[in-house]
Amino acid sequence: MSMVGRPADGSGVESRPAEPPAGPGPFGRLDLPAFALLLALFAAERLAIHALGVSPDPTAIAGLWQHLPLSALREDYWGALGGLRSQPPLWNGVLGAAARVCGGDLFCVASGFQWSFMGLTLLSAVMVRAGLGLAGARPWLAWGAAYLLALGPSAAFFELFPLYAHLTMALAAGIGLALAALARDGARLWPLAALYALTAALCLTWSLFHPAFLPLAALCAWLAGARRVVTRPAGLALLVVFGLAAGAPAIRNQADYGLFAGGTWGGMNLAQTVRGLAREDRARCAFSTAIKEIDAIHPGIGHKALHLPEAAWRSRACLDASVAAIAEAPWSWLWGRAGAVEASHRLWPYEYAQYRPLGWERLPIPDAARAQDAGAWRQDMSAAVLGGWPTFAWYAAIALGAVGALASGRFGASHGLALALIVMIAAEEGMAHLFNGAEQARMRWTVEPLILMLAAMIVEACLGGRRDGRSS
């Protein structure tokens, strides 16, 4: 009979095995040579892009609908943010800070974002590596995910695109690290506070992230293994505090317009997804029509019309019309949204064609200039083969691998973390594709750190991953 686990006194009462020694902190074993190589490759790639004359388009600062006028942000920063209803305030707050530093110089603002976004790329890559280290992934797998994030074409694109997509990506990378820390040690309060704070920041940056993502974050923490800290009085208090912070714009929009969301464009966004909408409703709910008709009331306001109360009331009516049309033909609506999934999981983001980075077509990628137009992809077989379906197949393989690893129990000690990542990714992807029109490329980029973490964990599981969840 084996005597393993028996006390020295021979009493026959089994003792628990000793706890393994505490591992390093999340940034304790970053491996300086691997990080130095990442920095070198990152710098070489960005210098090559610069040498080709690729740069951000400064006109996007003034042209994108999500942006308040720089003049308003410079002259009355807090007043402009306080009156903002169409979008959550955080991104425009960042834009306003840049405007106060640069004045009216759009090139200065765009360049500042480019440099800041490059820093966010590197920080996000390090957080992905650290999170996978906490999850017990092999170092080469953890660094591989970090390299893919930092050196892929999507990172280069969104660093040059002066909108909130790169900021939300960095917040999502932090969420992945916080979940990994909770999975590693679910008794600590600070990773839970970080998870809630980062999720609240997402909600305050982009209206796609509904305040309901705060209780979803609590669920993910629970799934990751932090059940006791989530339900402690301090944990519940954190959820309430950050939930109120994330939900403040939605509460105000509900009181004023009957729209419980951080932004007021949700009804018009949803209308873009509904094929069965009546012709007059479809026309009225188009953003271009709203701009034209509101501009006729307030001449010269242009696309800033979307920030006015008239647009909010129009969006509220569009929400009612869209919900009614979906209720009449739900399966047809869902089938149409399934098509959007394939279009948004391609390698080359297309986003707003008129504001793509200057010189982007010079990069040696398949049909880069036409990649900005979703319709062009469907018409050009070479572009679809080189940059479309293989990329979509990569994401489909991750999804199938995750389901298989969960069903077979191969995630082992990382099962809870994997489940939490899957729930968070699925929620964001669901919100993006069910309730928004044709702009899912940046939505997919937001959760790319979580997707890469999950992919590395799947490979680790297939290789017979570590059962104690600790990195070597």
Side-chain angles (χ1 to χ4, degrees):
M1 180 183 297
S2 171
M3 296 297 290
V4 175
R6 293 189 176 277
D9 60 6
S11 63
V13 179
E14 293 189 6
S15 62
R16 294 182 181 179
E19 289 289 330
F27 300 101
R29 291 182 180 173
L30 282 180
D31 186 355
L32 288 180
F35 182 62
L37 179 60
L38 174 63
L39 282 178
L41 293 174
F42 181 84
E45 184 181 77
R46 296 317 189 263
L47 285 172
I49 290 172
H50 177 74
L52 289 172
V54 182
S55 63
D57 183 355
T59 63
I61 302 295
L64 287 166
W65 296 349
Q66 295 86 351
H67 292 168
L68 288 174
L70 292 190
S71 58
L73 289 166
R74 287 198 313 271
E75 296 165 8
D76 185 11
Y77 181 82
W78 294 111
L81 293 179
L84 179 64
R85 307 295 182 89
S86 58
Q87 294 282 294
L90 186 55
W91 171 249
N92 274 280
V94 173
L95 178 64
R100 292 169 76 90
V101 171
C102 294
D105 188 342
L106 297 181
F107 179 79
C108 171
V109 176
S111 298
F113 280 143
Q114 180 186 7
W115 284 100
S116 300
F117 288 169
M118 285 194 289
L120 287 180
T121 299
L122 292 172
L123 175 61
S124 300
V126 168
M127 288 192 289
V128 166
R129 190 268 173 261
L132 286 169
L134 291 177
R138 290 165 170 81
W140 66 268
L141 268 177
W143 276 114
Y147 277 52
L148 285 175
L149 182 74
L151 303 177
S154 290
F157 180 94
F158 284 110
E159 286 169 6
L160 296 163
F161 190 61
L163 194 59
Y164 48 66
H166 215 59
L167 173 59
T168 56
M169 180 276 299
L171 293 172
I175 285 173
L177 177 56
L179 287 172
L182 287 167
R184 174 72 169 259
D185 183 357
R188 292 181 294 174
L189 195 62
W190 73 261
L192 185 68
L195 174 66
Y196 289 162
L198 291 165
T199 306
L202 274 177
C203 297
L204 293 172
T205 304
W206 189 0
S207 57
L208 169 73
F209 289 92
H210 192 272
F213 269 82
L214 261 295
L216 178 75
L219 171 63
C220 289
W222 174 280
L223 294 172
R227 300 184 179 183
R228 283 185 298 173
V229 72
V230 168
T231 55
R232 279 169 47 190
L236 294 174
L238 285 173
L239 179 61
V240 171
V241 169
F242 285 108
L244 288 175
I251 294 170
R252 188 171 68 168
N253 283 334
Q254 174 65 37
D256 291 345
Y257 306 115
L259 292 166
F260 188 72
T264 58
W265 297 350
M268 290 189 287
N269 282 331
L270 183 61
Q272 297 176 11
T273 73
V274 184
R275 296 176 180 176
L277 206 60
R279 180 176 299 179
E280 60 274 16
D281 287 331
R282 181 180 298 279
R284 178 173 171 77
C285 294
F287 282 82
S288 56
T289 305
I291 292 171
K292 181 179 179 180
E293 294 182 356
I294 297 174
D295 183 71
I297 303 172
H298 305 278
I301 197 169
H303 68 265
K304 303 306 177 186
L306 296 173
H307 296 291
L308 296 183
E310 290 92 329
W313 287 117
R314 179 182 297 246
S315 184
R316 183 66 182 85
C318 294
L319 177 64
D320 292 339
S322 299
V323 170
I326 292 170
E328 290 182 3
W331 294 113
S332 174
W333 176 68
L334 286 173
W335 179 250
R337 302 322 301 147
V341 175
E342 183 273 330
S344 63
H345 289 78
R346 291 172 171 169
L347 189 58
W348 317 120
Y350 48 86
E351 285 301 326
Y352 297 103
Q354 67 272 34
Y355 297 124
R356 66 176 182 261
L358 300 177
W360 184 250
E361 68 281 357
R362 298 171 190 158
L363 295 182
I365 61 177
D367 206 4
R370 297 181 65 189
Q372 314 305 312
D373 178 9
W377 282 99
R378 299 186 181 95
Q379 298 167 15
D380 191 310
M381 182 58 68
S382 64
V385 170
L386 292 172
W389 285 105
T391 309
F392 178 70
W394 156 250
Y395 290 107
I398 293 174
L400 292 174
V403 172
L406 278 179
S408 63
R410 293 188 65 86
F411 280 121
S414 297
H415 178 92
L417 175 59
L419 190 57
L421 292 174
I422 290 169
V423 169
M424 186 65 75
I425 293 168
E428 192 276 349
E429 293 273 15
M431 290 284 288
H433 291 88
L434 291 177
F435 304 117
N436 199 75
E439 300 167 354
Q440 289 89 7
R442 69 178 180 273
M443 301 175 185
R444 187 265 299 169
W445 175 240
T446 290
V447 290
E448 187 75 358
L450 306 184
I451 293 172
L452 287 171
M453 285 183 66
L454 181 62
M457 291 172 64
I458 292 170
V459 176
E460 180 69 45
C462 293
L463 294 174
R466 295 174 175 81
R467 314 307 288 183
D468 64 358
R470 296 181 185 275
S471 178
S472 64

